[in-house]
Amino acid sequence: MNSVDLHRQQVRTDHRTRDIVNQAVAALPEVGLRRAAEFLFAMGVPHPIAMRTLVYPGQRRPM
């Protein structure tokens, strides 16, 4: 297993961030990338998580 596979297998324990990220991802088609990013930043989601979520959605962790 490589490091990407190990990273993907980590289970999210921060349920608040998970819920906020899910809201932003669900809203993407309606509000667009910029507004979704602004929402994540306004809600205090750490920059690396917000960027990974929006730019590389395939790298999202399992819920």
Side-chain angles (χ1 to χ4, degrees):
M1 237 183 252
N2 63 35
S3 62
V4 174
D5 291 334
L6 289 174
H7 179 71
R8 286 182 182 174
Q9 289 182 356
Q10 294 176 352
V11 176
R12 184 178 313 282
T13 57
D14 180 355
H15 298 292
R16 178 183 179 276
T17 300
R18 180 201 63 199
D19 293 342
I20 292 168
V21 166
N22 286 340
Q23 288 177 20
V25 170
L28 265 172
E30 185 176 330
V31 302
L33 184 61
R34 182 181 183 120
R35 299 242 358 237
E38 290 171 350
F39 171 74
L40 290 175
F41 296 136
M43 296 303 291
V45 174
H47 186 262
I49 294 171
M51 291 298 295
R52 182 180 66 236
T53 298
L54 298 175
V55 178
Y56 305 106
Q59 292 183 6
R60 292 186 68 203
R61 294 181 190 164
M63 292 199 263

